[in-house]
Amino acid sequence: MYKNDKVIRRFSESFKLKILDELTTEKLNKNQLGKLYGINPTTINELIRKYERKDLMNTRIKVETKDEITRIKKLQKEIEQLKTMFNL
């Protein structure tokens, strides 16, 4: 067998739904499920997208108010001033 040969595995519909169901129960995370069933966690992400299970996707929520943005910009300016002051 050559280095670039890949084994293509196909999973049944019931198996795919079983993976998503087990992920829903939150007993195991994607990495643990991947190890248990011998599948890559990115494959599990593809299943989540395929079945439109956005509730299972990792999401980040970033909430910023105008005050926070202003404060961040002010702090960034201070950092730059300190860097130039100390030649960093």
Side-chain angles (χ1 to χ4, degrees):
M1 195 175 255
Y2 296 104
K3 245 185 185 180
N4 293 333
D5 286 347
K6 289 185 179 182
V7 175
I8 298 175
R9 297 184 343 181
R10 305 247 185 242
F11 302 110
S12 69
E13 204 71 21
S14 61
F15 177 76
K16 294 174 186 178
L17 293 172
K18 177 183 176 183
I19 295 292
L20 293 178
D21 185 50
E22 288 189 26
L23 191 59
T24 304
T25 61
E26 297 181 10
K27 291 181 182 176
L28 299 173
N29 63 32
K30 292 174 193 172
N31 289 326
Q32 293 167 330
L33 280 172
K35 287 179 184 176
L36 181 65
Y37 292 106
I39 57 177
N40 196 320
T42 56
T43 303
I44 296 173
N45 283 333
E46 289 172 15
L47 292 176
I48 291 169
R49 277 189 223 98
K50 177 181 178 185
Y51 291 98
E52 296 179 0
R53 294 292 308 270
K54 293 179 182 175
D55 58 312
L56 298 176
M57 287 299 287
N58 297 335
T59 56
R60 291 183 194 176
I61 299 174
K62 186 175 180 180
V63 178
E64 289 183 349
T65 63
K66 287 185 178 183
D67 293 335
E68 289 173 330
I69 294 170
T70 305
R71 179 168 160 70
I72 290 170
K73 287 181 180 179
K74 182 180 175 186
L75 290 171
Q76 287 172 337
K77 282 183 182 179
E78 286 180 27
I79 290 170
E80 289 303 316
Q81 288 174 350
L82 289 171
K83 281 183 179 179
T84 56
M85 224 159 80
F86 292 103
N87 296 322
L88 296 177

